[in-house]
Amino acid sequence: MSRPHAAALVEDAWNSRMNRVLASRGWTPRAIGHTGYGSPDFVRILGRLMLTRHPDDVTGTGDSGEDEVALEPEPRVRGWRAFMTAQLMNAPVVIDVAGVEHEAYSDRSGYIDVTIDGHDLPPGWHEVTITPVGGTPDTATVMIVDPAVRFGLVSDIDDTIITTSLPRPLLAAYNTFVLHEQARHIVPGMAPMYRELLEMQEGAPIFYLSTGAWNTADTLNRFIRRHGYPRGPLLLTDWGPTNTGWFRSGQQHKRVNLHRLAREFPQIHWVLIGDDGQHDPKIYGDFARDRPDVVRAIGIRELSTTQQVLSHGLPVSIEGFGPRVRKPVPVLRAPDGYGLLRQMRALLGQV
């Protein structure tokens, strides 16, 4: 096995020292549960372990239920607060799934990503408990997909359901660290389109696949709930050094998770939704070329000229500058969800 990248070694040394110092000052472990998923054969548990001075603080990702309605205005939150965290690396946890306990460990960045084979959870939404040894537990919701389901959605987030002007560095930093989360804007028509498409089959899942950081999961779940998007697991990534380089590959993250979903749910035919501001058309096209048996359609939200400039600095889609990928499935294009939905209805046989 090759030696880890120098940046990863530096980060690990810093985190290890920070964990020791904070623990010596009385900080204790606390779990944060993210939304997981599974089938009758397996369940994937997602979460993170942190160190905190206030173990009684409310935790979680804001995914408290699809039917919950807030009666009071939500507090105005700046994005930078989500990144001021003290992750607990390589720490033991106990995961309770339907009364059965499973032991696991957080990774070098404090994340928990555990797949458990065999459980007693029927199809639908459930809660599992993540308990750090000597710390404060949290619940994580999990979506168990019925094996009879044959339809599902995979959606990008940035510039597909939410306008964030990613990934230009200065604008990305402003949107992520400075802008109030309530000031982010929805993409017209996407939420109604997702709701109508998922009504095609009871229990059809939606996954939100993005290169965004897990630190933003709380913000994104509140945004999804507040604007009427269907509830579903977030598949995000960890910003920062890896064992092979300074940063993770966002494109590789999407490719790996698409193929993973295809393996985990081989019976499902997917509709993939993204935008043409970055690499979604090629990533989805490559996946459709490799797995045409599981892709029903690709929907691409077309950015305006101004949005293209904000996204990558050019007034046109960068898709045209790369090699053309043959897509053996229908590719639908429109500037918003309303235009895409009309085409989806015609394609999928909806009235």
Side-chain angles (χ1 to χ4, degrees), residues 140-185:
T141 56
V142 292
M143 174 188 67
I144 303 300
V145 180
D146 193 313
V149 170
R150 295 292 184 269
F151 178 81
L153 296 179
V154 174
S155 172
D156 181 40
I157 294 178
D158 301 317
D159 289 323
T160 300
I161 70 169
I162 179 174
T163 55
T164 54
S165 303
L166 290 171
R168 283 187 64 186
L170 291 179
L171 290 173
Y174 176 77
N175 277 284
T176 299
F177 297 109
V178 180
L179 191 68
H180 285 293
E181 64 178 64
Q182 288 84 350
R184 293 177 170 90
H185 303 291

Side-chain angles (χ1 to χ4, degrees), residues 77-156:
V77 181
R78 290 193 184 275
W80 64 268
R81 295 181 182 276
F83 289 81
M84 303 302 291
T85 59
Q87 60 266 30
L88 181 58
M89 60 190 301
N90 305 322
V93 297
V94 176
I95 301 173
D96 187 309
V97 180
V100 179
E101 294 186 345
H102 305 268
E103 297 180 353
Y105 284 83
S106 62
D107 68 10
R108 52 182 293 269
S109 297
Y111 291 101
I112 301 163
D113 187 347
V114 178
T115 299
I116 297 172
D117 296 323
H119 56 80
D120 295 323
L121 301 176
W125 288 92
H126 304 276
E127 290 187 344
V128 302
T129 303
I130 302 174
T131 305
V133 174
T136 304
D138 191 28
T139 57
T141 56
V142 292
M143 174 188 67
I144 303 300
V145 180
D146 193 313
V149 170
R150 295 292 184 269
F151 178 81
L153 296 179
V154 174
S155 172
D156 181 40

Side-chain angles (χ1 to χ4, degrees), residues 9 36 76 91 218 244 248 282 289 296 311 318 334:
L9 294 175
R76 295 174 64 83
D218 196 355
T244 58
R248 285 165 172 75
K282 185 175 190 309
R289 179 199 60 202
R296 183 68 181 84
S311 179
I318 62 173

